[in-house]
Amino acid sequence: MKRLYRSTSNKMISGVLGGLGEYFNVDATILRLIFVILLIPSFMTFALIYLVAALIIPIDEEIY
């Protein structure tokens, strides 16, 4: 069973988008670009979504 974790190896701020990229098997850079494009018109909404995701999604404990 696949589990969603914040990435410890592919992170910029807290690893949320890196973890989503690993979960969906998509490059995290693409997700970061999409997030920034969506962040511009509605800053508070997507910033709040990111903050909540960073608090809810557990950190990946796997050691590389």
Side-chain angles (χ1 to χ4, degrees):
M1 179 182 213
K2 241 176 154 176
R3 300 213 35 151
L4 177 61
Y5 292 104
R6 288 189 288 155
S7 177
T8 55
S9 63
N10 189 8
K11 69 178 189 175
M12 291 290 213
I13 297 175
S14 67
V16 172
L17 296 175
L20 284 172
E22 292 172 5
Y23 183 78
F24 290 115
N25 201 18
V26 177
D27 188 15
T29 306
I30 294 170
L31 294 177
R32 289 182 185 115
L33 287 172
I34 292 170
F35 183 78
V36 168
I37 290 169
L38 293 174
L39 186 69
I40 292 170
S42 57
F43 177 76
M44 290 305 291
T45 303
F46 285 98
L48 183 63
I49 290 171
Y50 188 89
L51 179 65
V52 169
L55 294 173
I56 292 175
I57 299 172
I59 297 173
D60 183 14
E61 298 294 331
E62 184 177 322
I63 298 173
Y64 294 95

